[in-house]
Amino acid sequence: MRFDQRHLLGIEPLRPDEITTLLDLSDRYVTLNKRRDKHASVLSGLTQINMFFENSTRTQASFEIAGKRLGADVMNMAMQASSIKKGETLIDTALTLNAMHPDLLVVRHPQSGAVDLLAQKVNCAVINAGDGRHEHPTQALLDALTIRRAKGRLHRLKIAICGDIAHSRVARSNILLLGKMENRVRLIGPPTLMPSQIADFGVEVFHDMEQGLRDADVVMMLRLQRERMDGGFIPSEREYFHRYGLNAKKLALAHPDAIVMHPGPMNRGVEIDGTLADDINRSVIQEQVEMGVAVRMAAMDILARNLRASPKEVMV
Ligand code: ASP
């Protein structure tokens, strides 16, 4: 098994076998994370810097815990309070940090493409923790791991992704990953929240939730990304919940064993009924958070092996 990437900037460049390699290694970290002693030393001696230019709770905490469990020296940069506010450019900030010899940079940025640009300027491994509406690769990988563990496979599944597709990097990375693994992806949402040309991605598009949910094996709900909207994309939250919110009645149209997912943060009563979100027989939302730590451990482990090893072949 091989993983030939120097960075993890998106799902787009990954081959299916590289995705499988990452998920197989993640499974091992799920086991480690259930132990009382969760320490491993694969990142020992390495420095990990988390640069979050956009707010984050679970992703930043998840990367920090992942790095610490693997023995890295982890530093969180408070980018809101940093020199960026004093006018320093992204590239200057990156070059300054680069001079401190980090091994892993974890970056979240509100602009699509900013993390790729940064990766070209530094000589360590870079992980994209979400750039604008472009990609959020570790989210798609943790979703894939959650699905594979719940369904026993990651191919030939009917997966419905519902809500604000247009502004969602989670949707984009998931569409790419699930497509590469040969699943049938359906997108459900109002026309105002559906990107134009989306059908080119090999997905089916539905504006009627009842139709789109029929027989789905997985129902993935998305948050309304208000911070990326400039104007009115929905009539009202009440109307939106009525048409595109998930409740038990609508879920009954999906496969009887369908699982319910949400990347968080979740707006209860807007995208999803709160009781359904907490229903441990249907909802895997907490598992997604658990898988997130394991996937980030696997991603940093594999990139660190590539930093150390040449040729870039990685054995798992
Ligand atoms: N946490 C995810 C992201 O950063 C999803 C969301 O914010 O709605 O994209």
Side-chain angles (χ1 to χ4, degrees), residues 58-59 108 136 139 169-170 223 225 227-228 263-265:
R58 81 206 70 226
T59 306
R108 168 169 288 191
H136 192 353
Q139 177 73 48
R169 53 195 175 208
V170 174
R223 182 174 66 88
Q225 314 252 312
E227 70 277 24
R228 294 188 224 292

Side-chain angles (χ1 to χ4, degrees), residues 90-138:
L90 173 65
I91 300 305
D92 283 335
T93 306
L95 293 177
T96 304
L97 287 176
N98 197 43
M100 298 179 198
H101 300 295
D103 302 285
L104 291 154
L105 267 186
V106 179
V107 188
R108 168 169 288 191
H109 200 280
Q111 234 102 59
S112 305
V115 185
D116 291 45
L117 184 68
L118 197 138
Q120 291 164 26
K121 306 285 174 191
V122 296
N123 43 26
C124 60
V126 177
I127 300 184
N128 181 1
D131 64 324
R133 57 177 86 173
H134 177 227
E135 280 233 41
H136 192 353
T138 56

Side-chain angles (χ1 to χ4, degrees), residues 23-40 69 145 149 290-291 293-295 297:
L23 298 183
D24 291 348
L25 186 57
S26 303
D27 265 329
R28 293 199 196 177
Y29 282 121
V30 176
T31 308
L32 176 74
N33 288 339
K34 289 188 197 295
R35 293 206 322 235
R36 183 170 291 259
D37 176 3
K38 301 172 182 62
H39 280 148
R69 285 193 183 158
L145 185 64
R149 290 172 69 96
E290 182 185 348
M291 295 309 119
V293 178
V295 155
M297 290 166 89

Side-chain angles (χ1 to χ4, degrees), residues 44-84:
S44 164
L46 301 187
T47 302
Q48 170 193 340
I49 301 184
N50 296 334
M51 297 168 77
F52 280 66
F53 296 89
E54 207 184 55
N55 288 339
S56 166
T57 314
R58 81 206 70 226
T59 306
Q60 185 168 346
S62 184
F63 271 110
E64 184 175 352
I65 289 173
K68 286 182 171 162
R69 285 193 183 158
L70 295 182
D73 294 318
V74 184
M75 189 182 112
N76 288 311
M77 297 279 297
M79 297 318 294
Q80 261 84 358
S82 77
S83 334
I84 290 283

